[in-house]
Amino acid sequence: MIIGYARVSTQDQNSDLQLDALNAAGCEEVFHESFTGKHRDRPILSQCLRTLRAGDVLVVWKLDRLARSLKDLVEIIHDLQKRSIGFKSLTESIDTTNSAGKLIFHIFGALAEFEHSLIVERTKAGLAAARARGRKGGRTLSLNENDVKKAAAMLSDPMITKAEVAKHFKVSRTTLNAALNRNGFKI
């Protein structure tokens, strides 16, 4: 079967152009959705993807109707290929049912992987530069060293409980225990 998927972001947008193109492309069934493409979990798209069987072809009017990011697009198409389902985008003339279309899509996949690698490299370089300047990542501590010393002093009084000390510093008992352990106090 040739199955179409059309999407508009809001109820105000008109999908007639997409629907006409999908019908002209010979789609036997068309799934239509009014939902933002920002989210990968779209109910009608999920239903459409579940409907597809080996040998079917999914057709979209334009690539951005199926996915908003290259990464999501590549993941969806790879899933279709694993299930022996073809893919066509009418506007970009991509057709994974032939060799040229498969080549183009492999190039997209390589670009997505390259983009991911660049992001990882930049993140690591940024963290290394921050460490070189003496900055540490992560959340700021709820209790500084002086607070921990005061908490330990308070806890040396057997009449004061950990719950009371935690409440005094406006932290949970778990946070108090972690701070005490981090600073070498075993109370």
Side-chain angles (χ1 to χ4, degrees), residues 42-130:
R42 290 173 267 155
I44 304 297
L45 175 60
S46 296
Q47 181 184 353
C48 175
L49 295 174
R50 281 193 309 270
T51 302
L52 294 163
R53 302 286 173 246
D56 289 349
V57 177
L58 175 63
V59 181
V60 295
W61 175 66
K62 201 172 180 184
L63 289 174
D64 68 353
R65 301 296 85 200
L66 186 61
R68 289 296 286 266
S69 74
L70 182 58
K71 180 180 179 267
D72 284 346
L73 181 65
V74 169
E75 285 176 9
I76 291 170
I77 303 305
H78 278 284
D79 179 58
L80 293 175
Q81 287 179 338
K82 280 193 279 189
R83 296 169 46 204
S84 300
I85 298 167
F87 172 75
K88 289 184 184 181
S89 173
L90 301 176
T91 305
E92 291 86 4
S93 300
I94 294 175
D95 182 353
T96 65
T97 62
N98 64 44
S99 299
K102 285 180 184 173
L103 172 65
I104 289 170
F105 219 82
H106 284 295
I107 292 170
F108 279 1
L111 289 172
E113 193 173 320
F114 177 69
E115 177 187 32
H116 176 72
S117 296
L118 288 178
I119 291 168
V120 168
E121 282 179 24
R122 284 193 299 260
T123 301
K124 286 180 180 177
L127 290 171

Side-chain angles (χ1 to χ4, degrees), residues 126-141 145 182:
L127 290 171
R131 275 192 294 276
R133 290 184 187 90
R135 290 187 300 203
K136 284 199 249 178
R139 251 173 90 179
T140 56
L141 298 174
E145 210 172 312
R182 184 179 54 250

